[in-house]
Amino acid sequence: MSELPDGVERRQFDGESRLATRGEPVYGEPADGEWRAWDARRSKLGAMLETGMETGLVGGGTVLYLGAAAGTTVSHVADFAGPTYAVEFAPRPTRDLLDAAEPRDRLFPLLKDARKPETYAHVVEPVDVIVQDVATRGQAKVANANAQFLDGEGRLLAAIKARSEDVVADPSEVFERELATLRDSYEVLETRRLEPFHDSHLGVVARPR
């Protein structure tokens, strides 16, 4: 099992050891004092940590989170990271994201399309980590388009959802195609299937070329 980032711990909730961060609850997750459980079944990044992937996440690091949705995962990231830019395209989940950001002064919601990074390039500083959690066709292309924001020693953490690319193709074939596209901009360091937490998902750790 890889070392967890500073600010992420394993703590007991209802007799079960689970990942946890220190912050206000967001999605009804169990809490114990100031600590809140990080539900890996609702978070692909949480699943990557649970399966022992070497994410390169560090406490206080700067993060660009693509596909923030209602803030389930990005709120955990902002609990321990530094400035965290949360890009979400859909207005409805962005309203919930704003609620998650209210008690987190390091979380910056951006109502933008992750496929068009030029629309937020004037806001986002160079980051240590890009989290790619956009469940849409062309997931690797989205990651490539945002590579410009990643520090040279930084990491891309991508969760590739096979069914978002092709609902009938074998997931392994989909993953290989997406990885080939990612290699246009990144060197792939590690891949791991995210079962049993998420079916037909591949976790990817990469660094810029």
Side-chain angles (χ1 to χ4, degrees):
M1 185 66 68
S2 63
E3 185 176 342
L4 295 173
D6 290 340
V8 181
E9 296 186 4
R10 289 196 172 276
R11 301 182 71 87
Q12 292 291 321
F13 295 90
D14 299 324
E16 180 184 0
S17 176
R18 298 176 61 177
L19 296 175
T21 60
R22 187 185 282 113
E24 291 289 328
V26 168
Y27 53 99
E29 69 277 21
D32 179 13
E34 59 186 3
W35 290 88
R36 51 192 288 247
W38 190 345
D39 189 348
R41 296 186 183 278
R42 296 184 61 173
S43 168
K44 273 79 78 178
L45 182 58
M48 292 173 72
L49 291 171
E50 284 282 14
T51 57
M53 297 187 76
E54 296 287 348
T55 63
L57 284 166
V58 296
T62 307
V63 177
L64 172 61
Y65 196 107
L66 307 174
T72 297
T73 297
V74 75
S75 62
H76 284 290
V77 174
D79 285 345
F80 67 86
T84 302
Y85 301 95
V87 177
E88 174 53 45
F89 178 65
R92 176 62 188 90
T94 299
R95 290 199 290 271
D96 294 331
L97 177 60
L98 289 169
D99 290 340
E102 196 278 329
R104 295 174 170 85
D105 59 8
R106 298 189 299 273
L107 179 54
F108 304 106
L110 298 172
L111 180 58
K112 298 291 185 180
D113 187 343
R115 295 169 296 185
K116 300 176 180 179
E118 67 275 7
T119 63
Y120 48 88
H122 62 292
V123 176
V124 178
E125 63 187 299
V127 299
D128 300 304
V129 171
I130 293 175
V131 179
Q132 153 67 332
D133 194 15
V134 177
T136 187
R137 189 181 295 272
Q139 294 165 87
K141 290 182 179 179
V142 172
N144 288 354
N146 285 271
Q148 60 186 295
F149 299 111
L150 192 58
D151 181 85
E153 299 301 317
R155 292 291 183 269
L156 167 72
L157 308 178
I160 299 174
K161 182 179 180 180
R163 300 309 181 202
S164 292
E165 298 294 336
D166 192 323
V167 296
V168 297
D170 182 276
S172 296
E173 296 178 2
V174 174
F175 296 149
E176 285 306 313
R177 291 201 300 266
E178 290 302 292
L179 288 172
T181 300
L182 274 180
R183 291 187 177 100
D184 290 342
S185 299
Y186 300 95
E187 176 188 356
V188 175
L189 302 177
E190 182 181 6
T191 64
R192 192 168 298 188
R193 294 287 290 261
L194 298 183
E195 284 89 0
F197 303 103
H198 300 276
D199 292 337
S200 302
H201 282 72
L202 184 73
V204 180
V205 180
R207 65 185 176 194
R209 288 193 175 280

